[in-house]
Amino acid sequence: LFNAMIAPLTPFPIRGAIWYQGENNANRAHGNVYRHLFKSMILDWRREWGLGAFPFLFVQLANYGRVPDTSTWPELREAQTMALDLVHTGMAVTTDIGNPENIHPRNKQDVGRRLALAARAKAYGESGITYSGPIFRQSTVEGKTMRLWFDHRGGGLSAHGGGLTGFEIAGPDGEFVTAEARIVGNNVLLSSADVEMPVSARYAWAAAPEGNLFNKAGLPASPFRTA
């Protein structure tokens, strides 16, 4: 596919690339394969074009329910998020606008709007644009509570449509339970009566997750796990 459809384009200058793919690579999420594969592809395209680190924007997997929640879709989303470590990359989160019954959701307008925000910031250098939803940065344990920090807060964190949902917490046994979650300033605080000593947490960790953490710019948080 590369030789036939991409290589012939490399003599032509481009401003950047938009990538919408991942479902068929979900079986490569285990063993850290996709997190290396995806980054390698981005770097290889940049080498092939010879234009430097041109912007590379991509769409994270949408919510889709016809695969079990123990599937590798959450891990593939994690691998996609890790590609943001590369310069001039941007990601559109779509776990809130997919169709759990259809792997090809109809709502492409909001996908396009989110990619356009990333393009305005990454490709065209517009300042003052919130182009990403919250991205998990770090966590700390404070007694029976876990505190989460995020980048791209976009004016502040918010719970879309009510109390926070989609968070789970686990102790040393690694058994995740639903967490009580609340926004306190720039952080999310997690706790559970069933977890005396928090060790790890995760958010929207399912093939078709239900989570409502957004920033005040109206962009959803990316799914994540702390460990």
Side-chain angles (χ1 to χ4, degrees):
L1 288 174
F2 177 85
N3 287 338
M5 302 178 71
I6 301 299
L9 303 178
T10 57
F12 299 96
I14 61 173
R15 189 63 180 262
I18 288 175
W19 181 257
Y20 194 154
Q21 184 269 351
E23 295 86 353
N24 286 336
N25 280 120
N27 61 352
R28 294 183 171 186
H30 280 321
N32 302 334
V33 175
Y34 192 80
R35 64 181 64 176
H36 299 299
L37 181 69
F38 190 38
K39 285 184 179 180
S40 295
M41 192 200 76
I42 295 171
L43 294 172
D44 184 62
W45 279 30
R46 288 171 172 175
R47 282 192 298 268
E48 291 287 339
W49 257 275
L51 298 174
F54 58 74
F56 194 100
L57 315 178
F58 53 94
V59 181
Q60 193 181 57
L61 287 186
N63 47 319
Y64 178 59
R66 291 189 176 178
V67 287
D69 283 351
T70 55
S71 75
T72 56
W73 280 47
E75 291 187 43
L76 191 125
R77 292 190 187 107
E78 180 180 62
Q80 291 174 313
T81 305
M82 289 178 174
L84 295 174
D85 292 341
L86 299 178
V87 298
H88 301 148
T89 53
M91 180 177 72
V93 175
T94 61
T95 47
D96 63 316
I97 55 176
N99 183 345
E101 298 298 318
N102 191 329
I103 201 168
H104 298 292
R106 292 183 177 181
N107 183 0
K108 298 299 193 297
Q109 287 188 328
D110 285 317
V111 177
R113 290 188 184 102
R114 292 172 187 181
L115 287 168
L117 289 172
R120 289 169 61 187
K122 295 291 184 176
Y124 301 107
E126 293 188 36
S127 60
I129 293 177
T130 299
Y131 64 88
S132 171
I135 300 291
F136 169 72
R137 185 175 74 214
Q138 68 183 65
S139 64
T140 58
V141 175
E142 302 171 2
K144 297 181 180 181
T145 301
M146 180 172 284
R147 183 183 296 268
L148 307 177
W149 275 264
F150 297 86
D151 295 322
H152 300 287
R153 295 185 300 274
L157 302 174
S158 69
H160 191 70
L164 278 181
T165 60
F167 286 91
E168 297 174 289
I169 195 169
D173 60 1
E175 295 294 325
F176 282 94
V177 298
T178 300
E180 295 181 11
R182 57 193 177 98
I183 296 170
V184 178
N186 292 326
N187 306 125
V188 171
L189 298 185
L190 304 180
S191 63
S192 170
D194 298 322
V195 178
E196 290 290 320
M197 185 185 303
V199 171
S200 57
R202 62 190 186 186
Y203 169 73
W205 199 258
E210 295 183 5
N212 64 346
L213 178 63
F214 282 64
N215 59 27
K216 290 185 178 178
L219 296 173
S222 173
F224 67 90
R225 58 181 171 178
T226 61

